[in-house]
């Protein structure tokens, strides 16, 4: 059985400026998923960072 090692994860508050339509989409989706807007945005950013292909990776695939 894997060990469970709870830890405090340091978080830093930031400010984002988004278009009103983007905020409306985030709010609708966060309500639908029963998440806070912040938690939804964190998960979206984490997903994007895990799946982004940088220029070096593109060149290696050619």
């Amino acid at each position: 059985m894997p060990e469970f090692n709870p830890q405090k994860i340091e978080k830093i508050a930031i400010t984002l400026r988004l278009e009103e339509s983007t905020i409306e989409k985030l709010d609708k989706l966060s309500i639908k998923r029963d998440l806070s807007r912040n938690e939804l945005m964190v998960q979206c950013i984490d997903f994007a960072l895990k799946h982004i292909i940088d220029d070096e990776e593109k060149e290696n695939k050619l």
Side-chain angles (χ1 to χ4, degrees), residues 8-59:
K8 182 177 180 179
I9 298 173
E10 186 70 28
K11 294 187 179 181
I12 299 170
I14 63 166
T15 301
L16 291 173
R17 288 174 173 70
L18 301 171
E19 293 180 17
E20 187 175 351
S21 62
T22 302
I23 294 171
E24 289 170 356
K25 290 175 187 176
L26 286 167
D27 287 345
K28 286 179 183 176
L29 190 53
S30 66
I31 290 168
K32 185 176 180 179
R33 300 289 180 145
D34 193 26
L35 297 168
S36 68
R37 182 196 296 159
N38 182 74
E39 186 58 33
L40 176 62
M41 292 172 66
V42 168
Q43 290 184 35
C44 288
I45 292 168
D46 286 343
F47 179 85
L49 289 172
K50 287 176 186 170
H51 294 89
I52 194 166
I53 297 175
D54 64 25
D55 290 339
E56 189 175 303
E57 286 181 59
K58 276 186 196 176
E59 289 176 10

